[in-house]
Amino acid sequence: MTAFDRGLLGHRCWLELATGERVDLPVDRWTAIPCEGDDVLLAACDGPTLDVGCGPGRLTAALTERGVASLGVDISATAVRLTQARGAAALHRDVFDRLPGEGRWRHALLADGNIGIGGDPHRLLARMAELITDGGTVLVELDPPGRGLRQDRVRLRPDDGAWFTWAWVGVEAIADLAARTAFRVAWSTSHGHRWFACLEKA
């Protein structure tokens, strides 16, 4: 069981960057019921939605409760079990592996900074373009203005020693990133300290 899995079960965990910087992970928010900031994402999903990096499934379950067909995807078996325990559908799979309904999803969620998955946001958005239908959207949670695009080597702490690459995207950097894939920025907004954008597939 990884530090992330233990975090989902209530233990504190954080990211350690190669620079020595430490980033606490908000596992309490991930495991709680959706908050007001989450409503920005949820309200934008009115059709079949893929929740990429669903974690313990608060958004997947909320969409299911609203009658929106949704599927969570996560590489953590613990996350998938927790999502399913909330009554939502989830798959234990990497987003870059084959997924059900490719090219037919109306929306995809990259909440909680999951634009950083794989450490290459350009590659991840190219994958999103394969998964959603023409005219579909990707709802992305971003870093505040002034952060730009950053990639770094990180590892989960405590205990996990394996380094991997993660990325962070500030809200001002998303338009250029979208333009280099198959998207345009339909809107961006903030709620409290959280920032969001809606990317529409051309």
Side-chain angles (χ1 to χ4, degrees), residues 47-62:
T49 301
L50 190 66
D51 186 4
V52 177
C54 64
R58 78 182 189 284
L59 299 179
T60 316

Side-chain angles (χ1 to χ4, degrees), residues 12 14-17 20-24:
R12 191 177 180 201
W14 62 91
L15 286 180
E16 178 186 316
L17 280 63
E21 182 183 349
R22 172 172 164 164
V23 179
D24 286 320

Side-chain angles (χ1 to χ4, degrees), residues 172-186:
E172 80 283 2
I174 193 62
D176 180 64
L177 187 60
R180 290 189 287 116
T181 54
F183 296 97
R184 67 173 188 89
V185 178

